Amino acid sequence: MNPLLLAIETSCDETAVAVLRGRVLLASEVASQGAAHQPYGGVVPEVAARHHLRHAPRLLARATRDADISLGQVAAFAATSGPGLASSLMIGASLAKGLALGFDKPYLAINHLEGHLLSPFFGSEAGIEPNVALIVSGGHTMLVEVSGVADYRVIGRTVDDAAGEAFDKVAKMLGFAYPGGPEIERCAQGGDPARFDLPRSMLHSGDANFSFSGLKTAVRYLLPKISPDDQRDLCASFQRAVVDVLVAKTIAAARAARCRLVTVSGGVSCNGELRARMSLGCEQAGLELRFAAPLLCTDNAAMIAFAALLRLERGASTPLTTEIDPNLALV
Ligand code: KG4
Ligand code: ZN
């Protein structure tokens, strides 16, 4: 069965539409709103919703054109139904429901976190192997024991800021553009990661939880004491502190779960330092490692389409009466 699937993602500040035929990606359109939120240093829900309204129909037209399909050929329509910003979620979900209703095809409501979680397996025919998954994004930092599709156990999460949020907040303190993760990574290049001794909170907490707000505060106190020439070292030291905790806790969780495969997904998994140090750590620990492809790390609709396909293959569909849920839990 190679159904044609169309998915829409509008959970936060990326408007995205993707078309999948079976496991083959035919089109993936993403419109980022970074510039629109730039003056505010973070995502403004009202601004995000207006952008989704403006861009979603345009991306829908472009995706079907790139995929060389008509909407009437689509076998099922999917959308992210949570977690995320209510006004943003509503736009993508309403559009997908309207299409499902108009073309009399199934609708699939997909959890954004499940989209990230399954993205390291994107396109794979082999199925979802059991793994310990690190989801690390602007809104979430969590460790999940994955036994198969729809079979998840959350084993840890951040108790305050998400790792991406810490990147964004520190970037804002430094006057960098939003989103701050890529800016910090760029600034850290060639910097000395051992120059500033920053906290690795909860590294030895004995559980799989994270905390990044203390690190952010430590940077805030340090900033007035350093010169602009020290920025490179500060970014390198901050990035190393985040990565050290993510790597150590992920490996410890995999060992505790007696799982030999680690997966990493979400926006922060674009980070080169995280990729390099997680690879090294897993190799030393005798663990296999799978990252989401770079284009699938930040928010996109291809990952939502893939999660929808795996759900559809299990016979799932969602009633049109199902509402979006800004606080939707993974399990
Ligand atoms: O997955 P995503 O697009 O959205 C959420 O679901 O939150 O993740 C966005 C987050 C932002 O916080 C952004 O700063 C971070 O991912 N990010 C990075 C990098 N690229 C994106 N963080 C560190 N290094 C990067 N290269
Ligand atoms: Zn995301």
Side-chain angles (χ1 to χ4, degrees):
M1 174 172 97
N2 280 330
L4 200 56
L5 261 159
L6 188 142
I8 302 168
E9 153 68 40
T10 59
S11 65
C12 189
D13 62 336
E14 250 92 38
T15 317
V17 179
V19 179
L20 203 58
R21 189 190 300 280
R23 280 158 170 71
V24 179
L25 185 62
L26 300 185
S28 180
E29 304 288 340
V30 182
S32 296
Q33 307 176 2
H37 301 283
Q38 184 74 50
Y40 311 101
V43 178
V44 181
E46 166 82 17
V47 175
R50 284 171 186 272
H51 272 75
H52 290 313
L53 264 181
R54 187 175 315 144
H55 294 293
R58 183 175 66 79
L59 295 191
L60 185 66
R62 212 160 70 187
T64 50
R65 194 192 59 211
D66 288 358
D68 197 19
I69 59 147
S70 68
L71 286 171
Q73 294 172 285
V74 174
F77 295 93
T80 304
S81 64
L85 300 169
S87 48
S88 288
L89 288 165
M90 229 178 272
I91 292 164
S94 301
L95 184 52
K97 282 184 191 183
L99 290 165
L101 188 66
F103 289 98
D104 195 21
K105 294 288 165 53
Y107 165 65
L108 288 123
I110 300 299
N111 186 311
H112 182 81
L113 295 171
E114 187 177 37
H116 279 305
L117 186 78
L118 299 174
S119 63
F121 295 95
F122 187 89
S124 163
E125 298 279 353
I128 306 301
E129 297 155 55
N131 66 92
V132 163
L134 171 69
I135 306 175
V136 67
S137 71
H140 301 272
T141 298
M142 61 203 298
L143 280 162
V144 184
E145 192 176 345
V146 178
S147 302
V149 179
D151 193 352
Y152 313 128
R153 189 172 72 88
V154 177
I155 47 183
R157 52 162 46 98
T158 180
V159 298
D160 41 54
D161 292 348
E165 194 179 351
F167 269 95
D168 294 338
K169 286 178 175 170
V170 167
K172 191 176 174 185
M173 290 179 216
L174 292 168
F176 294 167
Y178 173 83
E183 300 294 319
I184 298 232
E185 179 170 17
R186 215 165 297 141
C187 181
Q189 262 161 30
D192 176 7
R195 168 85 186 280
F196 297 107
D197 185 21
L198 293 170
R200 271 83 171 145
S201 303
M202 296 183 78
L203 187 58
H204 304 294
S205 60
D207 58 24
N209 290 332
F210 301 91
S211 165
F212 293 105
S213 76
L215 172 59
K216 171 195 69 190
T217 307
V219 172
R220 175 165 294 134
Y221 285 129
L222 197 57
L223 261 180
K225 300 180 197 154
I226 65 168
S227 78
D229 293 346
D230 295 328
Q231 251 188 26
R232 190 176 289 254
D233 291 344
L234 179 67
C235 285
S237 301
F238 164 77
Q239 181 173 260
R240 178 62 62 87
V242 175
V243 166
D244 274 355
V245 177
L246 292 174
V247 171
K249 300 213 89 162
T250 304
I251 290 173
R255 282 195 172 129
R258 298 182 188 284
C259 192
R260 39 165 280 283
L261 176 64
V262 165
T263 65
V264 187
S265 62
V268 182
S269 63
C270 289
N271 186 276
E273 170 101 348
L274 175 61
R275 287 188 171 245
R277 291 182 76 83
M278 189 69 87
S279 300
L280 189 69
C282 284
E283 195 185 313
Q284 285 168 349
L287 296 165
E288 258 181 66
L289 173 63
R290 220 169 157 144
F291 281 103
L295 278 175
L296 297 177
C297 288
T298 46
D299 288 348
N300 64 89
M303 69 181 189
I304 302 302
F306 184 59
L309 172 71
L310 300 186
R311 291 265 174 180
L312 195 68
E313 286 178 346
R314 297 160 54 89
S317 71
T318 311
L320 288 174
T321 49
T322 302
E323 292 182 19
I324 54 115
D325 181 353
N327 301 310
L328 189 63
L330 182 64
V331 280

